[in-house]
Amino acid sequence: MYVRITRMALHYRWRLAIGLVAIFFAAGFQLAIPILIGNAVDTANNLFGDADARAKDALVLTAILLFAVSVGRGFSAMVQNYMGESIGQHIGYELRMLYYEKLQRLSFSYHAGVHTGDLITRGILDVEGVRMFVQTALLRSVFLVVLIGTGMYLMLTKDLQLGLISLSFVPFVAWRATVARLRLRSNWYSLQEKLSSLTKVMDENLGGIRVVRAFASQKHEMMKFDGASNEALSLANIQVGIRATNISLMSLAFMLAMAAVLWVGGLRVIDGEMTAGGLTQFLAFMSILLQPVRQIGMMVNGYARGAASGGRLFSVLDLEPDIQDKPGAKDLEITEGVLEFHNVSFGYEGEHTLNGVSFKVQPGHTVGIVGPPGSGKSTIAHLVPRFYDPVDGYITIDGQDLRDIKLESLRRAVGVVEQDTFLFTASVEHNVAYGDPWAPDDRVELASQYAQLGDYIERLPGGYDTMVGERGVSLSGGQRQRLSIARSIMLKPRLIVFDDSTAAIDAATEQRIRAALAELTKDRATIIISHRLSSLMHADEILFIDEGKIVERGTHDELLALGGHYNDLYELQIRPSEDSHPLDDEGGAS
Amino acid sequence: MATRRFSERTHEIPPKASIRRGPTTDEEVFGEAFNGQVVGRFIKYVAVYRKLLFVAIAAVLVFTVSSITFPLIVKSVYDEALSEGAPDRSRLAMLVIVFLVAVGFNFIANFFQELIVGRVAERILFDMRRAMYLHLQRISLSFMDKTEIGKLMSRLQGDVAALQEFVETAVFAIGDLVLLVGIIGAMVWLDWRLGLMTLAVLPTLLIVRIIWLPFARRAFLRARVTSSIVSGALAENINGVRVVQGMSREYVNYDLFDIRASDNLRAANLASKLGVMMLPIVDTLTGAAMAIVVVMGGFFVLGGTIETGVMVAFVLFVQRFFDPIRSLTMHYNVLQRAMASGERIFEVIDVPVDIKDKPNAIVLEDIDGSIEFENVTFGYFPDQPILKDISFKVKPGETVALVGPTGSGKTSTTALLHRFYDVWEGSVKVGGHDVRDVTLDSLGKQVAMVLQEPFLFSGTIFENIKYAKDDATREGIVEAARAVGAHEFIMKLPDGYETELEQRGGNLSLGQRQLISFARAIVADAKILILDEATASIDSYTEMLIQQALHRLLEGRTGMVIAHRLATIRSADRIIVLQDGRIIETGHHDELMELGGLYAHLYSMNYASFDDIPDELIQRATQAAQESAT
């Protein structure tokens, strides 16, 4: 994980290089300070036996150097920190873009299996986790290694014994850091998971607030919340415990080493083996290390969180969408616009929802598909734009296998109007023009009129600029479906699939939509999937699907004459005591 | 990576975008670095843990004092044990032991300050989230109707997390301040002249900070606002990913997202620049202070005015002196963010709960299931009544169909029965009790509701049917599923009742979801059932099941149905026809047909649902009804 993140950091070679140079300078300046202070103490003690005036000069010189070194340290610390943050932010940006791009490409089968709350948490919190790791832990740990390493060298060469004593805390701190990092990593991982499920609980509660209210189930909901929340809390508590133990133990080791330096160094000063200034250097050096040692505790946490978050992010980034362009895929070339299913089967784990389905839709023709729920109707709608691939058989448009075509060209050519309409929080205009964002206004209006939504939109307070979606005007089920139809015809698709997309639209309006679309679809292949016979009885061919197989096919009249399933359904849908047919008032437009 | 720019499409103008670039009003709530009101409110949540926090602050104090002691002990070592004239081993040994004792205190205090502060911060975080969430469960639906869930979620998550940081930093900031005061005190005590000279650098720092602050503040806020825009864009794209893919809008969206993410990158970068700018300034001042100590302290030592130890202690203190200043600078960002977040959290908590139990509300038990509306007037906006002086009674066990064009007040009528809102005038009674006199909880147990769009939760089918009825048995659940005819299709699913539902029940058809929600209502076993029939037509097979299920559902209960299906309407015991918030006709289907009013006219138009009849036709029917009445 760290290797991967570090590799990403290597993209920013210059920043990294400048940052590393700054680190060496910062460490150098940092270490020069105790040496200068030691000198100053010795000078002040007049150990060199200089004349008073020269001692004063020496002190002033040391002071100037000390000041210069401090300024130098400040600037190199600035550069180092800035480079760290900058690389972190760039990596965060890069990860966000990669994640976004990957989510957009991952196929329907992936999205059906994950909760949106979980994906959002990863995109926000986990990206942040990796960014923080790069920003605060990655470069700073190099700084610490350089600082402690150089310091070690200086101290050991100056005085081996005292140097070893000063540094005795290092192995202990290193060992604690490793132990804590591993424990924190698994803890962070579980904590992120728990926070994701807490998000899920809250998101669903707010989404289904009417159900919650209707069943007066606040208590039940609070129990669910408390369950998820307390689990997360206890993990968070464990984390705090690890951190507290860790930080305090590390400081303890450090302070004990300092006490040892004081004792041994003090004895040596008493024995005259060492100057007071020499001892001060060691002590000043150690007091410079105090803050970094405290930071190790935080850095360990950064490492652990970075690994947990990186793991969660990369597990998504490493997924290969199961639907993607083949190498050498070509743009779809439509000559006539004939769609054909060749013996297509589809399903999961041996259970087929479609079984050897073959049919052909000619341009200008309409095929209606009807059948009981779960018979596989919607699967057909999802196969045409290649949201899924068939497990057996193949689908062609003008003889080109869908799997050999570039996805984008295919999906631009195929318009699928789905049953559930997702509205973006944006104006009506932007929602209708979603697939063709540069469309001129008059086309947006025309499409809306075709979908019989134009009049309604014009009556809205802001017309086409009225906001819809979660925060905007709420549209009824039928209005949403009409918007979805308008959105699809904006793309001027060469093939149109209506997947039960008029269920919430009343029969009369539906007929008006069909009449309006007649001109548009006259040279295009159309598939209408519906359970309402009035929606598809005028199709050129009707397929009755049951358990994934076409069991009956023919025109409305042929199927009625057959007296099979279709006929039964027809009988069922005709209102028992009605004398008139719903279509009759609209003059049976087709 | 899928990078393609607008320019490649030779488009000069930006696309019609669903993701806005600028901040929304919601994000414009700019936070003050210190907002007394927010802090005051916040203290209430902190006060719950005051005992723990006192321990924590005590630990912070012990930690700080022991930290200040170290240089002082070192000073004593120099002056008492190592002084040139009279080195003293036993004195050294004693001082080292004192040092070790201080280390011990330091260790224990350090552990407890980290542990308690960390845990209390986590608790407060969870408490506040819970308080907000609990409040959201209570506030009236009219607020929830107007609010975007994503926005609430960002308050429940992001803002609460920002406060957690604040609690942690706040306690440590107290430590920093104490340390600062302690160090200043120690320095002045050791040698007041040297102390004051060293402190002379402080005013410079103060001036620099005052200049720096407004710039930094703006930069930090900008970074936060752009970041929340990016999160919003990501969330919307995840939710609408099917449309995105179906319409091949990936490239456009990618570019749009890139613009937002780049905005954020730039803003964050600027904030970093301003943040790190303080480092050389602080270090320059540290250097200046050290130089003063070395020159003046050195002169004093040379002149014999002070001892070497004092100078050493000063140098060690100066090193420490700027640490708290530096971290207080860093904390400023956290503090500011916390104030903005606190405001956003309290905004939610402050939404008044207008529907709540009376002090001595009755618990509804064993009621007969009658409903009475008495001269009810109600609306959502002042001066725009939706229901106007409505009165009707429903006998126990009776099924009443509410019928009328869109906007006639059907949904409002049922919502009042459940006391989602309070009436303006008149009263709504359930089992003879005014709904305002009974507890909301017991009312909910007596009145069940099936919504038009069935909402299912993640979890198994079993859990969804059982829902809030914790004492429901497995047999009871299966029986309910059988009663509504859902058992068959459930058993066909791979894991039967244990089948995990996808988000919002995505792996079931609309009709199946409807049946599950019926079963849920049966399990809830309420005396009164409100049913908002789905307008969407459902496949005929499920439709048949649903019609049968409806009868089962209403058996032995009082039913109020917002009916769309003609079959449902006809089988109701009584039909109430609403128009413009008034009851215009009431009676059984045959009676109403005979009456020849609006109902008869609408019915004869043969629409699948009354809701979808175009306005002009309704007007015509109304006129026709009025004409035939006169």
Side-chain angles (χ1 to χ4, degrees), chain A residues 93 204 271 280 470 575 580, chain B residues 78 89 149 258 458 540 606:
Chain A
Y93 162 81
E204 295 205 341
D271 293 344
T280 312
E470 222 188 315
R575 292 191 215 130
S580 63
Chain B
Y78 274 83
R89 271 166 203 273
I149 297 170
D258 196 4
S458 300
S540 313
N606 261 320

Side-chain angles (χ1 to χ4, degrees), chain A residues 203-224:
Chain A
D203 181 63
E204 295 205 341
N205 171 281
L206 297 177
I209 191 82
R210 284 179 181 272
V211 178
V212 176
R213 298 293 169 90
F215 283 82
S217 54
Q218 280 94 332
K219 273 187 203 141
H220 174 78
E221 288 292 318
M222 284 316 287
M223 261 167 50
K224 272 209 279 194

Side-chain angles (χ1 to χ4, degrees), chain A residues 59-265:
Chain A
L59 275 180
V60 172
L61 184 68
T62 311
I64 291 171
L65 276 176
L66 206 51
F67 180 71
V69 163
S70 287
V71 173
R73 179 180 73 164
F75 277 100
S76 29
M78 175 180 81
V79 173
Q80 175 209 335
N81 274 305
Y82 176 70
M83 290 304 158
E85 290 193 12
S86 167
I87 294 172
Q89 282 155 2
H90 276 88
I91 287 181
Y93 162 81
E94 221 179 289
L95 281 173
R96 261 180 181 165
M97 294 312 292
L98 282 171
Y99 185 70
Y100 187 84
E101 192 259 351
K102 181 63 82 176
L103 284 187
Q104 289 210 107
R105 285 200 303 133
L106 282 171
S107 53
F108 277 36
S109 50
Y110 175 77
H111 282 287
V114 289
H115 198 280
T116 54
D118 186 39
L119 289 181
I120 294 169
T121 313
R122 283 175 207 235
I124 297 171
L125 291 183
D126 287 326
V127 168
E128 183 68 9
V130 174
R131 189 179 69 76
M132 288 300 285
F133 160 69
V134 176
Q135 187 164 318
T136 60
L138 199 59
L139 270 185
R140 204 166 290 171
S141 56
V142 176
F143 174 69
L144 273 189
V145 168
V146 171
L147 188 68
I148 295 178
T150 324
M152 263 178 168
Y153 173 77
L154 284 175
M155 295 178 87
L156 292 177
T157 47
K158 197 164 179 68
D159 186 322
L160 189 65
Q161 194 200 2
L162 207 54
L164 280 176
I165 295 173
S166 313
L167 296 167
S168 59
F169 70 93
V170 173
F172 178 80
V173 165
W175 169 68
R176 280 306 311 170
T178 317
V179 173
R181 186 176 62 79
L182 292 177
R183 287 181 62 196
L184 281 171
R185 182 166 75 178
S186 64
N187 184 274
W188 263 112
Y189 200 86
S190 337
L191 183 60
Q192 299 284 54
E193 300 275 299
K194 290 289 172 231
L195 286 176
S196 269
S197 43
L198 183 62
T199 306
K200 199 159 92 176
V201 168
M202 295 195 292
D203 181 63
E204 295 205 341
N205 171 281
L206 297 177
I209 191 82
R210 284 179 181 272
V211 178
V212 176
R213 298 293 169 90
F215 283 82
S217 54
Q218 280 94 332
K219 273 187 203 141
H220 174 78
E221 288 292 318
M222 284 316 287
M223 261 167 50
K224 272 209 279 194
F225 173 87
D226 286 340
S229 172
N230 288 338
E231 273 183 49
L233 178 62
S234 60
L235 280 172
N237 275 338
I238 292 174
Q239 197 188 83
V240 171
I242 299 175
R243 244 165 36 195
T245 316
N246 203 30
I247 289 180
S248 54
L249 277 179
M250 284 181 183
S251 293
L252 177 68
F254 175 82
M255 296 306 294
L256 287 177
M258 196 157 169
V261 169
L262 203 58
W263 171 242
V264 176

Side-chain angles (χ1 to χ4, degrees), chain B residues 214-288:
Chain B
F215 292 100
R217 194 178 135 194
R218 223 171 302 143
F220 287 136
L221 271 170
R222 176 102 192 101
R224 180 141 177 76
V225 168
T226 49
S227 148
S228 105
I229 292 171
V230 170
S231 303
L234 175 71
E236 187 162 60
N237 202 65
I238 290 175
N239 286 322
V241 71
R242 283 161 183 269
V243 184
V244 174
Q245 293 193 355
M247 306 234 134
S248 284
R249 219 181 109 122
E250 291 95 333
Y251 293 112
V252 179
N253 281 3
Y254 184 85
D255 287 349
L256 287 171
F257 187 72
D258 196 4
I259 292 173
R260 265 122 215 133
S262 305
D263 275 352
N264 177 236
L265 180 61
R266 268 192 298 276
N269 219 257
L270 181 66
S272 293
K273 278 183 191 151
L274 279 160
V276 298
M277 242 172 68
M278 281 309 281
L279 288 173
I281 294 170
V282 169
D283 269 348
T284 303
L285 294 172
T286 315

